Structure formats: C-alpha cells, structure tokens
Amino acid sequence: MVNEGCTSYGWSIISSASANSALAAVLAGFVFSGITILFGRTGARSTNAWALFISAFVVLAFDSYMFAMVSGSDRSDLCVRVWSEGMTASGMLAVGGAAVMTGIGWLVHNHADSTQTPSAEPPADGNGFDVDRLARVMAQGVVIAVALLLSRATRDYYNIAIPDVPAWVEWMTLAVPLIIGGLIVWLAVWPRVQPGRSGSTANATSAPPHASNAASFRYACYAVLAYGLMAPIFAGTLSYLPPLMMTPGHSTAVVVGTTAFGLVFPGALLVLLVLAAAPPTTARTPHSRIDTSPQDPGEKSASQDF
C-alpha cells in the first residue's frame, strides 16, 4: 500500500526535513563561529568548549545534508527507507544540539572565572548569581527535551516500519528520556546526600575542581565525533539495500539498525553529555559566583569587569 507523503499519525518526515536541514545548518554555522572565536582564548576550559564544538560541527554539517537528502525523496513506496534516513538524521540533530548547549556551558564556566579575581568572595546577602548552575540547567533541559522528541519520532517510525506495532513497543521508546531524566535528578540529589557534604560549606568548596567527570568529557567528545561519522555511513548504506528489505514486515534488520542510530546511540551520547557538563559551583572555589549586589562607587569590586 502506497503512503502518499509517508505520513505517520498525520506527520510527514519528508515535509519537515527542509526546516530541519536549515536548523542544522544554522547551528553548524554558529558552532563554526564559536570555534574561530576560541582561537584567541587559552585555558583548559576554553579547550573543553573547543573540543565539543569541533565534534558538534561534524555532526551538524553531515546532518544538514542528510535532512536535505530526505526532503528530496519522492518515493512514497519506500517510506521505510525514507523514515530510516530521517530517524538517523533526527538523532544526529539531537546529539549536535545537545553538544552545542554543553559547549556553551563550558564557555559560561570559563567566563565566570576569567572575570573575577581569586580573592573575590560571594556576597553574604545571597545576591551572587550562579551562572554555572544556569548553564547546567539549560543543557540538562535541552537534553531532556530532545530525548522526548526522539522518543516521539521513534514511535512514529515504528508505525511506518512495523505492521500492527504492539502498544508496549511504542511505550518502550519512553525508556530513553526516563533514564536521562532519572540521571539528571540523581546528579542533582547525590552531592547533597553524600556524607560530609551536607551542612558544610568548607567541605563543598575544598573538593577537587571537576576532576570526577574528566573521563566522561573525553569519552563524550570522541563518541560524538564517531557517531557523526558512522551515522551518515549507515544512512548511505540503506540506499543499496534491496527494495524487499524496505517493505513493512520484511525490514527487521533495518528497523533494529535505525533504532540504534536514531534512539539508542543518541540516548547514550546524551547521557555522556550530561556527565560532561561544566562543574557546579559547589565543587569549585568561592570566586566562581558573580556578584550582583549593589556596589559602592568607590569600592573595589571583583565584578566590575563582568
């Protein structure tokens, strides 16, 4: 049966591919601009943002082309192939966007330190604005949002590729955003319940600055780059498969591969990007906060340059 427009639950991945291609291209251009700006900066934290931006640029550049390829399809009798390519491109867009947000978090983290002197103390009246925490909340919120969107896209894909898909299979796609949301909650709660950290500011500020997620950061950068190179290869391979494998009911191998590149691998990378985010203020020295309290005109403040 021919599905005109390859629609699933009233939504066509072909019609939306042009807008997604433009979005990926805009993000890739933003990342390229960020890379050129970082050429003039030094320091480990700028290097962290640079590494994430390089990996994200590769993912988003390929992703823009892949969505353009999907938008040019007019074979409604091969909807499984079109949706498989579109699902892979959707996973790349999610990973690239999340990597950009995490990189921005590292830029904010670096800026908060570079604009203050080591002797600066957070104001006693609580007016210090924790920009690091804001950046982490931004990155984590984007990760949860894109995970939910990927889950919904996978549900639509199964409706195309699997005849009479069981309801439990569709609901299983919610496992990825639920796991990521649980991880974010755990990362927020765990430092508060660890022995020796509750009620002791000295213990919190004397901890090593962000040594715990260094390995996660390296894994995230290399994994995002590897995914950005392997996903287009998988999508290109689909064009060489026989038409029978693109027929609903005979596309099990294609569905499994697409689920891996469109949902499972992106979900794992989103978890790595959450772990690779810039450290919270509580794990750093007191001068990591920006003082937003009113200052005397004659008083020397550490926040004058912000």
Side-chain angles (χ1 to χ4, degrees), residues 7-248:
T7 59
S8 176
Y9 296 110
W11 182 64
S12 172
I13 198 169
I14 298 177
S15 300
S16 62
S18 298
N20 288 331
S21 177
L23 175 60
V26 169
L27 289 176
F30 167 80
V31 169
F32 184 79
S33 300
I35 292 174
T36 57
I37 292 175
L38 289 174
F39 276 125
R41 293 190 178 184
T42 58
R45 297 188 182 99
S46 294
T47 304
N48 288 347
W50 196 0
L52 275 175
F53 281 170
I54 290 175
S55 300
F57 177 76
V58 174
V59 173
L60 293 170
F62 274 124
D63 186 51
S64 178
Y65 173 78
M66 288 178 58
F67 269 123
M69 183 173 61
V70 172
S71 68
S73 177
D74 60 354
R75 293 289 303 276
S76 296
D77 57 327
L78 295 178
C79 289
V80 174
R81 191 197 73 186
V82 174
W83 268 86
S84 298
E85 294 170 348
M87 273 298 303
T88 304
S90 298
M92 295 177 68
L93 181 59
V95 171
V100 171
M101 295 298 106
T102 304
I104 292 175
W106 276 101
L107 288 179
V108 173
H109 186 75
N110 184 31
H111 181 72
D113 277 355
S114 64
T115 55
Q116 300 204 7
T117 61
S119 60
E121 295 290 340
D125 58 1
N127 287 329
F129 188 79
D130 192 346
V131 291
D132 284 341
R133 179 172 298 176
L134 176 65
R136 286 175 68 84
V137 170
M138 173 192 69
Q140 292 170 353
V142 169
V143 164
I144 292 178
V146 298
L148 286 170
L149 292 174
L150 280 181
S151 174
R152 173 56 193 270
T154 305
R155 176 175 174 265
D156 293 339
Y157 170 69
Y158 286 163
N159 184 54
I160 289 288
I162 305 177
D164 302 322
V165 54
W168 67 268
V169 174
E170 294 184 342
W171 284 105
M172 279 296 293
T173 60
L174 288 174
V176 170
L178 288 177
I179 291 173
I180 293 175
L183 173 66
I184 291 176
V185 172
W186 179 78
L187 291 176
V189 174
W190 176 250
R192 301 178 184 273
V193 300
Q194 280 185 296
R197 289 199 174 188
S198 58
S200 175
T201 305
N203 289 338
T205 57
S206 61
H210 200 46
S212 59
N213 70 342
S216 298
F217 184 86
R218 289 194 298 270
Y219 293 150
C221 291
Y222 284 112
V224 169
L225 179 60
Y227 176 72
L229 297 174
M230 294 301 297
I233 295 177
F234 169 76
T237 303
L238 297 177
S239 301
Y240 294 94
L241 298 179
L244 179 62
M245 293 186 65
M246 300 300 167
T247 305

Side-chain angles (χ1 to χ4, degrees), residues 80 84 157-158 161-162 234 245 251-261:
V80 174
S84 298
Y157 170 69
Y158 286 163
I162 305 177
F234 169 76
M245 293 186 65
S251 56
T252 302
V254 175
V255 171
V256 171
T258 302
T259 302
F261 279 95

